[in-house]
Amino acid sequence: MVPARLIAVLAVWRQKAGPTVFAMFESETDYFRSRVQRTMLNFRVRDLEAMLAQLRDKGADVAEETQDMEGVGRFGWVTDPAGNRVELWQPA
């Protein structure tokens, strides 16, 4: 029997079609913009510009730059209150 609290979680989490990626980076990477940060969360979003605007409006530390990767999509970043960089991805 599955506990009720687990069923509630399972009902909420539904991954859309597409890959789940665990990417390894060199230990000396500057991709995270911090030598202390070792991992990064990456969230899929429908509209990157709208999400970044919402985060800016709420006072979040949003990076000015975005990155376009042909055939992959667009990326943007926000830094959480603990100083960790979080990536947002709008698939192509």
Side-chain angles (χ1 to χ4, degrees):
M1 180 156 205
V2 178
R5 68 180 180 277
L6 182 57
I7 291 172
V9 171
L10 293 175
V12 173
W13 173 254
R14 297 215 196 306
Q15 180 170 318
K16 295 187 179 196
T20 297
V21 177
F22 294 93
M24 305 303 282
F25 287 80
E26 294 291 330
S27 61
E28 298 301 314
T29 185
D30 65 351
Y31 190 77
F32 303 134
R33 302 285 198 264
S34 165
R35 294 285 183 200
V36 177
Q37 185 174 344
R38 308 311 293 161
T39 59
M40 180 184 293
L41 289 175
N42 180 305
F43 293 101
R44 213 178 316 190
V45 298
R46 279 186 222 145
D47 184 338
L48 181 63
E49 289 304 322
M51 180 58 71
L52 295 175
Q54 282 182 341
L55 290 166
R56 281 188 190 101
D57 288 348
K58 297 294 182 183
D61 181 8
V62 177
E64 290 299 320
E65 78 275 2
T66 59
Q67 181 182 20
D68 294 300
M69 291 182 69
E70 188 174 334
V72 176
R74 301 185 65 229
F75 296 88
W77 300 271
V78 61
T79 301
D80 74 12
N84 299 301
R85 191 170 167 136
V86 176
E87 190 166 74
L88 305 173
W89 168 49
Q90 178 182 324

